[in-house]
Amino acid sequence: MTKDIERVLLSQEEIAAKVAEIGAQISRDYEGKDPIIVSILRGSFIFMADLVRAITIPCTVDFMSVSSYGSGTSSSGEVRIVKDFEGSVEGRHLIIVEDILDSGRTLNYLMKTLKTRGAASIALCTFLDKPDRRVVPVEVAYKGFTVPDSFIVGYGLDYDQKYRNLPYVGVLKPSIYGE
């Protein structure tokens, strides 16, 4: 797999330090609130696992799968919920954990949908942010890293369901995904 990586963008050490920082901030901000940490599958599962271990207050976890990509490499613009929340969010504080904020369509849709379900508050925590690709505004409460508009993989992010298990974030060689 490493032969397919053009360059390492974020090292394992940089990622660990940032996750610890975000976990500490969430712990301070949500003291006494018992938030639900909601992982948006599949890409955020590694980030979310590390993040909840860095959070020092009581919290629960849940998972959703929301998509606007289909099988391509760019957003289709159509958002759909593939796997919904398990329980009620009414009156609860939610922290949506995403791997990468790109166009903003998916997260904008998801946050509006969850607001209509009566959540007390909703905050977005994204591991990576690609602001150059944004077409819909999204408010981010916790952000790991701002990244360039490159095709990146690792630490949960994939191409064709591969590379998620890399412990770092790297730029995928264009020859791999056909550009």
Side-chain angles (χ1 to χ4, degrees), residues 55-113:
I55 294 172
T56 58
I57 60 168
C59 63
T60 56
V61 299
D62 208 331
F63 301 88
M64 291 185 81
S65 181
V66 183
S67 177
S68 68
Y69 281 88
S71 61
T73 59
S74 62
S75 176
S76 67
E78 182 180 325
V79 179
R80 64 187 177 94
I81 293 177
V82 179
K83 182 212 176 296
D84 208 342
F85 212 82
E86 289 294 320
S88 172
V89 300
E90 191 168 340
R92 298 294 307 271
H93 298 280
L94 306 179
I95 301 172
I96 308 298
V97 177
E98 180 63 296
D99 58 350
I100 189 164
L101 176 55
D102 197 333
S103 72
R105 286 185 185 109
T106 301
L107 289 167
N108 181 277
Y109 171 83
L110 179 59
M111 291 175 83
K112 284 181 181 177
T113 299

Side-chain angles (χ1 to χ4, degrees), residues 96 101 107 111 122-129 134 137-144:
I96 308 298
L101 176 55
L107 289 167
M111 291 175 83
I122 302 173
L124 174 61
C125 175
T126 187
F127 174 54
L128 302 175
D129 185 14
R134 195 90 69 251
V138 177
E139 184 179 331
V140 179
Y142 308 97
K143 177 172 58 173

